Every structure is written in C-alpha cells, then in structure tokens.
Amino acid sequence: MKRHILITGGAGFIGSHVVRRFVTRYPDYRIVNFDLLTYAGNLANLSDVEQAPNYTFVRGDICDAEAVGEVFRRYAIDGVIHLAAESHVDRSIRDPFTFARTNVLGTLTLLHAAREAWQGAWAGKRFYHISTDEVYGALGFGDEPFNEGTRYDPHSPYSASKASSDHFVRAFHDTYGLPTVVTNCSNNYGPYQFPEKLIPLLVNNIRLERPLPVYGRGENVRDWLHVEDHARAIDLIFHEGRNGETYNIGGGNEWRNIDLVRLIVRTTDRLLGRPEGASERLITYVTDRAGHDLRYAIDFSKLRRELGWEPAFRFEEGIEQTVRWYLENREWMERITSGEYEHYYEQMYGNR
Ligand code: NAD
Ligand code: TYD
C-alpha cells in the first residue's frame, strides 16, 4: 500500500463521503476509519464500501490515547484526516463539556499520537484537521466574507471548542514542526446528514407533515456547500496543500434560512406529488437559538488561486438530488429517527 491513512469520524456525515471517495479513488491506499459510533455515527452510511479490500473500520474514542496510539502502530499510519467531533450547535448549548472533551481533548490526543508515532520524521506525513467557518463568529449583512486572516471570535460552545482545537493544531506545527493543515468550511448539505441539522430535518418533517421549526424570524444567513464538493476539496488539500497553512472552503452560496426552508418545501412537495408549496402551512416560528450567529460567508479565493478548486454543484440541482435521496432512502431515515432521536426531538421542539 502506498499510503496508510487514518480518517477519524468516518461514520458521520462528511466523514462517510471522504471515506467513500478515498477508498474508491485510491485502491493503493489503506483507509482506516476510526469512529466511536456516537448517536451521529452510522456504519450504514458506508455499506457500499465496507467490503473493499483497502478499507478497515476500528471502533474507538479519539480521547483514548492507548487506542489511538495502537492504531498508529498497527497500521503504520502516515496521514490523518481528522473529522471526528461533536458537531451540532444546539447540543453544545445543552452539554458544552462533551464538546470540550471530544473536540479539544480528542484533537490533542490525536496530535500527540501523531507526534509520538512520527518522531520528527515528517517527510511524507500529514495531519489534516477539518474545521468550520463558525470559529470566525458572525457577520453583519454588509460585512465582507471571512478570509483566512479573520480574527477568531466563536460564540457557541461548539465553535469555541472547534476554535480551540484549531489553535492546538497550529501550535503543534509551530512548536514541534508537525506537518499540519487546517481547513474551515461553511455549512454542508447532501445525503447521509443526521436529521438534527436543518435540511434533513425539514425533508423528514415535510414527509411526516410535522411542523417545520424556524428559529427566530428565519433571517439568519448561511453559506451552503454540497458535501461532495467538500470531500473533493479535502482530497486536493490533503495531497497538495502547504504545511502549516489554513484554507477556507465555501460555496459562494448564501441563503436566508426562511428562503431555504421555502425552497426545500417546494422541492419536497413536488417530489412527493403534492401541490408545490402546500407544506408551507407547516412552517412554525420557534424561540431563537441562544447566541444565534446572524450570518456566515466565506472567501475561498486562496483555495481557488493556489489549488484551482471551485464548487461544482449548482445549488438547486444539489438540493433536488439531496431531497430525492432522503425520500428514496426512507429506511435509512426511519432507522436513525427511531428510539433515542424521538427523545432528543421532544426535548428540542416539544411534543409537536
Ligand atoms: P457528524 O456529527 O455527522 O459526525 C461526527 C462523527 O464523529 C460521527 O461518526 C461520530 O460517531 C464520530 N465521533 C464523535 N465523537 C467521537 C469520538 N470521541 N471518537 C471517535 N469518533 C467520534 O459530523 P459532520 O457534520 O460530518 O462533521 C464532521 C467534521 O466536519 C466535524 O469536525 C465538524 O466540525 C466539521 N464541519 C462540519 C460542517 C457541517 O456543515 N456539517 C461544516 C464545516 C465543518
Ligand atoms: P444547522 O443545520 O443546525 O447548522 P449551523 O447551526 O451549524 O449553521 O442550522 C442551520 C441554520 O438553520 C441555523 O441558522 C439554525 C437554523 N435552524 C432552524 O431555523 N431550525 C432548525 O430546526 C434547525 C436545526 C436549524
């Protein structure tokens, strides 16, 4: 095998797309997916590649130094793509400690393991940390998008924990010389996203004719990128990015939440054979998220200039493909929304 790559969080939403891409595109790489399988991890996301000869799954916790060290030794890991994290802002508001543990201590544990395993023989090694644009804080409507020099200003426990992990990654580069790279990406959408996040939650609720919760007045703005465009950027940057650098990844595709909700409603209604817009009656304005960031937008011109990356999906087509996928994969959705999920949903939105 030419390379031995550890992908953490590979059973999650973005991780599963990255694992699939690497396993199928690089048959001469060994891909080791290390994932704890929390509520957000789901091996069904990878059922199409689990038999591939270059793929290995290891269940484990990134905070468990012994288990992580063992994976580095056993599989002679020479590259890390680190996605494992607690990833949902609303959960971080309820339970910030889990976010500090997984996102900060887990990342530190991985950094330490890489440093121990590689022992200064940095040639051919890479530690790639996946982060979010939320570390930059919130923009006003007229502000310029975030660039790589924007000051960190996280507001939620989630973004504070991701910001902290980004700092640890850069500190390991600057202090020990670990060959690291960090990327900060905007909101992803696409198949296999856990339905606590806005888009799959909407599609599922429209199908079930449940209320569609819109926080505050629905005026917050997010930049949306198809998850396969993100996975393609990760592939490119893992191979060609410069050590010690940060790259922003974005869609150039800002949507006000309420406009996005209406687009999802129209698309889902059409695909379900209902009159387009019929489900708008389900839109329900609910109490705003505490500390809700007004707007995120990303300047990804560095990535475009240096590595030639651009988003490939047109948003309306990406949304149509995504909604169709959730409707056609009802069993996947029903499996993860049974049991524990109902409890989460009731706590978040009440018994609507
Ligand atoms: P996700 O919640 O869907 O998946 C997270 C995965 O990490 C799950 O498979 C879970 O089992 C695993 N995990 C959690 N704790 C773990 C632990 N202690 N040890 C090992 N595995 C553990 O998340 P996602 O949306 O796919 O996000 C992946 C990464 O990308 C995260 O680091 C997130 O901060 C970042 N990111 C996400 C977005 C987005 O829009 N979803 C945007 C930018 C960056
Ligand atoms: P989300 O998918 O949780 O991503 P993030 O908080 O990381 O941006 O939410 C996207 C936007 O949608 C965000 O502004 C919060 C809002 N939102 C709702 O209005 N209702 C919901 O039920 C959810 C989950 C999110």
Side-chain angles (χ1 to χ4, degrees):
M1 288 286 176
K2 232 165 105 185
R3 300 214 55 174
H4 299 85
I5 299 175
L6 173 63
I7 299 182
T8 70
F13 166 47
I14 302 173
S16 63
H17 288 272
V18 176
V19 166
R20 177 175 299 101
R21 183 176 177 97
F22 274 70
V23 165
T24 53
R25 224 174 124 87
Y26 303 109
D28 52 352
Y29 289 8
R30 164 143 311 277
I31 303 303
V32 180
N33 172 14
F34 186 81
D35 196 299
L36 184 58
L37 302 181
T38 67
Y39 79 91
N42 184 0
L43 287 178
N45 297 357
L46 289 166
S47 53
D48 53 334
V49 294
E50 68 189 1
Q51 299 300 335
N54 62 336
Y55 172 70
T56 305
F57 173 69
V58 178
R59 185 171 192 183
D61 185 345
I62 55 167
C63 300
D64 180 344
E66 219 166 280
V68 170
E70 169 62 16
V71 165
F72 270 85
R73 282 189 296 280
R74 177 149 186 211
Y75 297 101
I77 296 301
D78 57 30
V80 178
I81 304 177
H82 172 37
L83 298 113
E86 289 292 334
S87 68
H88 188 40
V89 174
D90 294 322
R91 288 188 194 251
S92 81
I93 294 169
R94 287 161 175 260
D95 174 19
F97 285 92
T98 302
F99 282 69
R101 180 183 178 274
T102 299
N103 298 359
V104 186
L105 291 177
T107 300
L108 179 55
T109 304
L110 277 172
L111 287 163
H112 180 73
R115 182 176 165 234
E116 292 268 292
W118 298 341
Q119 294 282 337
W122 304 138
K125 309 293 198 305
R126 170 146 284 180
F127 188 108
Y128 181 175
H129 175 64
I130 309 297
S131 191
T132 166
D133 61 354
E134 304 192 23
V135 298
Y136 297 123
L139 295 167
F141 288 122
D143 294 343
E144 290 296 311
F146 305 126
N147 62 46
E148 290 80 359
T150 302
R151 188 172 73 88
Y152 272 34
D153 184 22
H155 297 142
S156 73
Y158 165 63
S159 54
S161 68
K162 291 298 288 186
S164 173
S165 65
D166 295 6
H167 291 320
F168 269 107
V169 174
R170 292 199 192 94
F172 267 64
H173 173 267
D174 296 349
T175 306
Y176 308 113
L178 196 78
T180 61
V181 64
V182 177
T183 55
N184 298 86
C185 187
S186 55
N187 287 54
N188 283 214
Y189 72 96
Y192 298 110
Q193 187 167 32
F194 194 86
E196 63 191 351
K197 306 280 168 58
L198 182 64
I199 292 178
L201 184 133
L202 290 173
V203 178
N204 194 42
N205 284 15
I206 294 167
R207 187 176 62 78
L208 298 172
E209 299 192 64
R210 274 180 147 184
L212 310 177
V214 175
Y215 297 166
R217 299 199 303 183
E219 283 175 341
N220 304 65
V221 172
R222 296 292 182 264
D223 174 55
W224 293 93
L225 177 71
H226 195 283
V227 62
E228 287 173 28
D229 278 330
H230 190 190
R232 188 166 47 81
I234 290 172
D235 184 350
L236 185 65
I237 293 162
F238 178 77
H239 288 100
E240 294 179 31
R242 287 183 292 135
N243 283 334
E245 290 290 321
T246 295
Y247 298 89
N248 280 351
I249 307 173
N253 177 43
E254 291 181 52
W255 282 75
R256 223 166 42 127
N257 285 345
I258 188 62
D259 297 329
L260 176 61
V261 170
R262 293 207 170 100
L263 172 67
I264 302 290
V265 165
R266 282 198 303 277
T267 310
T268 310
D269 278 345
R270 179 163 44 78
L271 293 176
L272 284 171
R274 296 180 189 163
E276 249 181 64
S279 302
E280 283 208 14
R281 68 186 163 78
L282 298 172
I283 293 175
T284 308
Y285 292 92
V286 299
T287 311
D288 207 355
R289 173 187 281 172
H292 196 174
D293 286 335
L294 181 63
R295 174 179 166 234
Y296 304 139
I298 275 272
D299 173 354
F300 62 90
S301 55
K302 175 176 174 182
L303 181 57
R304 177 193 273 145
R305 196 174 55 246
E306 288 193 14
L307 298 178
W309 178 91
E310 299 219 348
F313 275 83
R314 280 197 45 235
F315 188 58
E316 277 81 352
E317 286 168 13
I319 284 294
E320 164 118 14
Q321 176 246 34
T322 299
V323 172
R324 194 185 291 282
W325 189 89
Y326 287 111
L327 295 178
E328 284 176 357
N329 290 271
R330 226 171 111 168
E331 222 177 84
W332 178 92
M333 182 64 90
E334 280 169 358
R335 217 168 332 135
I336 55 178
T337 53
S338 60
E340 189 49 32
Y341 179 83
E342 273 306 316
H343 180 64
Y344 161 80
Y345 194 88
E346 226 176 277
Q347 277 194 325
M348 271 300 295
Y349 302 107
N351 194 8
R352 281 189 247 257

